[in-house]
Amino acid sequence: MGLRRSGKSSIQKVVFHKMSPNETLFLESTNKICREDVSNSSFVNFQIWDFPGQIDFFDPTFDYEMIFRGTGALIFVIDSQDDYMEALARLHLTVTRAYKVNTDINFEVFIHKVDGLSDDHKIETQRDIHQRANDDLADAGLEKIHLSFYLTSIYDHSIFEAFSKVVQKLIPQLPTLENLLNIFISNSGIEKAFLFDVVSKIYIATDSTPVDMQTYELCCDMIDVVIDISCIYGLKEDGAGTPYDKESTAIIKLNNTTVLYLKEVTKFLALVCFVREESFERKGLIDYNFHCFRKAIHEVFEVRMKMVKSRKVQNRMQKKKGATPNGTPNVLL
């Protein structure tokens, strides 16, 4: 959600449709609610609802209770290069309405289009928006509502990292995945590891060491290289097969004695690791540990698939009874 021309549709196109940021300049303004299911081509299993900026909460035909009831995360996009007072007022109205319906929603604020701001201006803008938004909630007696703020731009990897943080909050298995990654890197001599959703380049989990933006960008670039080369050389002569499969693996040696190592985990997920050259000499140990890690990941998601199937059965039964389903989480943009 957000005001008109704040960049909502551009974010969706760049993250989930691999659209070039420059092409988004030609997108028309959204004039109706657009729903998209991103669970078919990606591990990330949810619907995204893209709302027009001029939506009126007080319109009797707008059933905001139905929309917010099944929502996992509400992303409010603020144009940092514009006067954001009106956006803050709309943010407050949106958050208070949503919280009354569903107290479990994660509220995420994207301070967007920061590519046109200096570093000092970015920090000052984030501080000002953070202060004003939380003051408005405190004045309304809603201090318990937590807002998360991110500086984003479609012209760098900040939008992918912000979406990664949003999605991670919607994954109930996140602590298990982080624990598995911690065990894997500590026993393999690996510096850093990410579990990536290949289609969207969102990382759904990483180990407990801090995330460096440059490291994340290198991982994203590696996935692009692997997929692009696989599309050229990885298909059969008749064009059959998929460019990314269980045989997919890649090694890139950087000029700072670091090795980037990519391995397929599932048809949607890839593990990307940073390894020192001297540690990579024990590649056999790393591959054995990866085999154990991959097996554990599959077991985690087998449990997840059983839960999803049972939830679908429950939803069908609820629909027959006339109740409201509460299955796949929605992300409101």
Side-chain angles (χ1 to χ4, degrees):
M1 290 181 150
L3 297 184
R4 293 181 74 248
R5 312 305 299 174
S6 59
K8 302 182 295 298
S9 299
S10 299
I11 290 171
Q12 185 184 347
K13 295 295 183 185
V14 168
V15 174
F16 294 104
H17 294 272
K18 290 186 177 272
M19 181 180 279
S20 165
N22 293 321
E23 290 179 41
T24 62
L25 297 170
F26 307 105
L27 288 175
E28 294 183 6
S29 185
T30 305
N31 54 18
K32 63 179 182 179
I33 297 174
C34 298
R35 279 196 302 183
E36 182 173 0
D37 197 330
V38 294
S39 61
N40 297 327
S41 61
S42 163
F43 165 80
V44 180
N45 186 23
F46 53 65
Q47 287 182 333
I48 290 185
W49 293 34
D50 186 4
F51 282 74
Q54 65 273 19
I55 201 152
D56 182 9
F57 280 101
F58 299 102
D59 186 340
T61 61
F62 180 67
D63 187 1
Y64 67 87
E65 286 195 12
M66 179 276 294
I67 291 167
F68 291 140
R69 198 175 294 126
T71 298
L74 192 157
I75 300 172
F76 197 92
V77 184
I78 296 177
D79 183 351
S80 65
Q81 299 184 27
D82 200 3
D83 180 17
Y84 46 76
M85 292 306 154
E86 185 185 351
L88 284 169
R90 178 65 66 87
L91 169 65
H92 181 73
L93 174 66
T94 305
V95 167
T96 51
R97 284 288 172 102
Y99 188 76
K100 285 179 183 175
V101 177
N102 183 354
T103 57
D104 294 326
I105 295 180
N106 298 324
F107 295 105
E108 321 283 355
V109 182
F110 284 9
I111 303 168
H112 197 49
K113 302 183 183 179
V114 296
D115 48 279
L117 306 180
S118 66
D119 288 343
D120 290 342
H121 197 177
K122 286 179 191 175
I123 296 168
E124 179 59 29
T125 301
Q126 183 176 17
R127 187 200 62 76
D128 189 41
I129 290 174
H130 184 282
Q131 184 74 41
R132 291 176 184 273
N134 283 313
D135 284 350
D136 288 344
L137 291 175
D139 292 343
L142 295 169
E143 297 95 335
K144 64 180 87 171
I145 297 178
H146 176 71
L147 304 178
S148 299
F149 296 86
Y150 308 87
L151 294 170
T152 60
S153 168
I154 57 173
Y155 292 97
D156 59 28
H157 291 84
S158 59
I159 190 62
F160 293 96
E161 186 174 21
F163 240 107
S164 297
K165 300 281 178 58
V166 171
V167 169
Q168 285 168 25
K169 294 178 185 178
L170 301 176
I171 300 175
Q173 300 89 354
L174 182 63
T176 306
L177 299 180
E178 289 180 347
N179 191 35
L180 288 172
L181 284 166
N182 284 332
I183 295 168
F184 173 65
I185 68 167
S186 63
N187 288 289
S188 307
I190 290 171
E191 302 279 312
K192 185 72 183 164
F194 293 91
L195 195 59
F196 269 94
D197 179 69
V198 176
V199 174
S200 62
K201 288 185 293 189
I202 287 172
Y203 70 92
I204 64 161
T206 184
D207 58 86
S208 55
T209 58
V211 176
D212 175 45
M213 189 66 174
Q214 190 177 12
T215 303
Y216 174 65
E217 289 175 5
L218 280 169
C219 292
C220 290
D221 292 342
M222 184 183 195
I223 290 172
D224 284 336
V225 168
V226 170
I227 297 299
D228 290 346
I229 291 178
S230 296
C231 285
I232 299 170
Y233 301 108
L235 300 176
K236 295 177 183 176
E237 289 185 11
D238 58 358
T242 56
Y244 181 77
D245 56 29
K246 63 182 179 180
E247 301 297 325
S248 294
T249 185
I251 300 168
I252 297 178
K253 294 187 176 181
L254 305 179
N255 60 4
N256 61 352
T257 70
T258 304
V259 177
L260 275 173
Y261 191 32
L262 180 146
K263 295 276 283 182
E264 185 262 6
V265 179
T266 72
K267 65 179 180 178
F268 298 133
L269 298 178
L271 182 74
V272 184
C273 307
F274 273 74
V275 196
R276 292 281 172 203
E277 276 188 358
E278 57 267 24
S279 300
F280 197 67
E281 291 173 2
R282 301 193 301 273
K283 183 173 175 292
L285 173 66
I286 294 172
D287 286 345
Y288 175 77
N289 287 339
F290 170 76
H291 176 74
C292 298
F293 171 80
R294 189 172 185 269
K295 184 179 176 184
I297 290 287
H298 279 270
E299 288 175 2
V300 169
F301 293 131
E302 278 173 18
V303 174
R304 176 178 180 269
M305 291 309 295
K306 288 176 183 176
M307 289 171 61
V308 170
K309 285 179 182 176
S310 66
R311 197 177 294 150
K312 284 180 179 178
V313 172
Q314 286 179 338
N315 285 347
R316 286 196 205 102
M317 293 173 67
Q318 286 176 336
K319 282 181 181 177
K320 287 178 182 177
K321 294 176 183 176
T324 305
N326 190 20
T328 303
N330 297 328
V331 174
L332 305 189
L333 190 61

